[in-house]
Amino acid sequence: MTADRMDPVIRTPYGAVRGRWERDAAVFRGIPYAAPPFGPRRFRPPVPPEPWDGVRDAGAFGPTAPKPPYSEAFAQYLSDPEIPGDDCLNLNVWTPDPSPDARLPVLVWLHGGALTRGSSAVPVYDGGTFARDGVVFVSLNYRLGVEGYGLFPDAPANPGLRDQLAALRWVHDAIAAFGGDPGRVTLGGQSAGAISAGALVAAPQAQGLVRRAVLQSGPPEGTDRDKVRRMVRRMAARLKTPATAEAFAAVDRELLLRVQADIGRRSSPVLGGPAFGVVVDGDLVPRDPLDALTGGAAPGVGLLTGWTRDEYRLWLVPGGLLERVDRLGTVALAGAMARCHCGSEVPRGYRTLHPGAGPAETVGQMVTDHLLRAPLHRLADGRDEPSYVYEFAWPSRRPGMGACHALELGFVFDSGDEPDARKLAGDGAPQDLSDAMHGAWVRFVTDGSPGWERWDDRHPVRVFGDGAPRTVHGPRDRELALWSAPEAPADAQPPELRSVIRRLRRTGALRRD
């Protein structure tokens, strides 16, 4: 509090909260949007928080959802604060003008972390830079891992996604008091946050809550239900308990996290394996989100989508997996073919287009295109509403990381000076690139156009790399065209390939999806 400015106090639907002034923004942290999801509410849809009397202090981040820590290999690149406590369904608001008359655009941020890690307290996600530029910024925590995305016969699916919907409804009802316009809400996310944002935009229950959406490095697709069931069944086998929500609710929380981390350690976008994800549930997610969005869902919602040039490097470089994939050579390419359900013509095409690429780069780009770029292309192609597409191509100063997954976040948030941003970017990240990336997001949130031409048959992609941003038409079209060939049936694959795939699965290097 300064001598001439008192701490801001705002009344929410459940009670008043007191924030803080920080760099000309009013900041409110740890506001509950739903009740603690434990006890009888564990594995159940969120319910409203208990109203409170008086003024609740909102000066510090609230508890984070239960999650295992990153492995040592990943922790050197990614930060993931842990704040204990049960009241983990909370959100934060940064606003430049906490008055109902301001009617400012709003950005609601969903963090990434494979739906198993991450939180709104990650320092890179400081919403002050958006507030500085006239945007009310909201970030939130939601249930993760088996608590948020386990699939059980005795509990509704997707409780973590239902948490996010509850937060969106809170924003719709409460954000005007913080200076935001509930009719100008952009929902944005990266990686798992982007997958979630796409599912919510497509959800009939979220209609009218979102005007625009940003999907960074995450396609709006549902996860195969059996993939999630296998994750739960393997945890149940390790715990020696039935694969039901009732049984899992009786397990010690820390033990549940340790078993989840151990079972999931071999899962990755490259290796496949069991994992948690948003599933079609016939209710909140009545159909695959990508099919819904290309079939007319969410009319009037504009999209900004993007990826990084070398997404795969965050999946392969930590722990030395990149070198192991290079050593495997043909075996790794065979594994990628099985992972992507394609025939040998696809890796052959990639090697023709990029003759100097080694096996790891070929495998990484194949998996990235199959899982991420191809569905985002399909999304932009299949909608009448304006879509804008970009690629982040600036290489990290950290050895071997390139323009990897999550590197762009420090530039989107203009938080490159944060030590946590430098963990991934290294020292010397260019400020002009932050200005360009952050400015594009602010323009899109504010008026619906990030500053370059909308997607059309020429496939314009804005490239943010070294030097000034530039628009390139169809930079990934040749690679993505390789996927249009009919899928090779398993019995049509050569015997030596089938043998390699069986060997990879026996050793655990490749899991059935």
Side-chain angles (χ1 to χ4, degrees), residues 69-393:
Y70 280 118
S71 68
E72 185 178 342
F74 281 92
Q76 64 177 307
Y77 299 105
L78 302 172
S79 295
D80 196 10
E82 181 180 356
I83 302 172
D86 284 356
D87 206 357
C88 60
L89 300 186
N90 57 70
L91 53 75
N92 320 293
V93 181
W94 283 257
T95 175
D97 186 356
S99 68
D101 298 329
R103 310 293 288 183
L104 296 169
V106 180
L107 173 59
V108 178
W109 174 251
L110 304 179
H111 68 79
L115 298 178
T116 59
R117 294 173 175 86
S119 78
S120 65
V122 172
V124 173
Y125 305 153
D126 189 331
T129 55
F130 282 96
R132 176 196 67 196
D133 295 324
V135 173
V136 176
F137 182 87
V138 180
S139 60
L140 59 114
N141 293 331
Y142 55 93
R143 278 174 283 181
L144 302 169
V146 71
E147 301 275 1
Y149 295 91
L151 197 53
F152 299 102
D154 56 339
N158 300 314
L161 193 70
R162 296 173 191 274
D163 295 343
Q164 296 167 6
L165 177 62
L168 272 180
R169 287 173 171 158
W170 184 97
V171 168
H172 185 268
D173 294 340
I175 205 64
F178 293 83
D181 184 346
R184 300 172 68 195
V185 172
T186 298
L187 181 62
Q190 183 265 347
S191 193
I195 294 170
S196 302
L200 286 171
V201 169
Q205 295 181 36
Q207 297 310 298
L209 301 179
V210 177
R211 184 170 177 181
R212 302 182 183 103
V214 185
L215 310 184
Q216 165 64 42
S217 297
E221 290 184 310
T223 300
D224 178 65
R225 292 175 67 92
D226 188 57
K227 189 173 186 176
V228 181
R229 284 196 190 98
R230 289 204 319 278
M231 186 73 179
V232 173
R233 286 198 299 264
R234 291 180 184 181
M235 290 182 65
R238 184 73 61 84
L239 293 163
K240 296 181 172 57
T241 192
T244 64
E246 181 181 13
F248 271 50
V251 176
D252 175 78
R253 199 183 302 175
E254 292 302 317
L255 174 60
L256 202 61
L257 288 176
R258 288 197 300 272
V259 171
Q260 174 186 298
D262 187 52
I263 298 296
R265 67 188 174 87
R266 288 185 179 271
S267 299
S268 79
V270 175
L271 297 177
F276 294 111
V278 174
V279 298
V280 175
D281 59 16
D283 176 24
L284 178 57
V285 188
R287 59 186 296 207
D288 182 82
L290 182 56
D291 290 341
L293 289 171
T294 55
V301 176
L303 293 176
L304 174 62
T305 65
W307 53 73
T308 70
R309 185 190 62 196
D310 308 311
E311 299 269 4
Y312 68 95
R313 288 187 171 269
L314 185 64
W315 310 329
L316 292 182
V317 171
L321 188 56
L322 187 87
E323 291 78 8
R324 292 200 294 274
V325 171
D326 265 336
R327 286 197 301 269
L328 284 170
T330 303
V331 175
L333 290 173
M337 289 162 57
R339 175 81 179 96
C340 298
H341 310 291
C342 67
S344 58
E345 70 284 350
V346 174
R348 188 182 306 122
Y350 275 79
R351 298 179 89 168
T352 299
L353 291 172
H354 305 282
E361 182 177 351
T362 302
V363 167
Q365 294 293 4
M366 279 178 57
V367 173
T368 300
D369 286 347
H370 175 65
L371 297 181
L372 200 157
R373 294 190 185 109
L376 289 179
H377 262 243
R378 181 185 161 201
L379 177 64
D381 281 337
R383 287 176 57 79
D384 294 330
E385 291 78 6
S387 291
Y388 302 87
V389 179
Y390 66 86
E391 175 173 288
F392 184 83

Side-chain angles (χ1 to χ4, degrees), residues 15-60:
V17 292
R18 176 181 289 109
R20 304 290 189 274
W21 285 102
E22 299 176 9
R23 300 193 302 273
D24 295 321
V27 185
F28 303 80
R29 295 182 174 92
I31 305 173
Y33 66 84
F38 300 105
R41 293 186 288 267
R42 201 168 179 192
F43 298 107
R44 297 292 160 184
V47 298
E50 287 291 328
W52 58 88
D53 296 325
V55 179
R56 180 184 180 119
D57 187 70

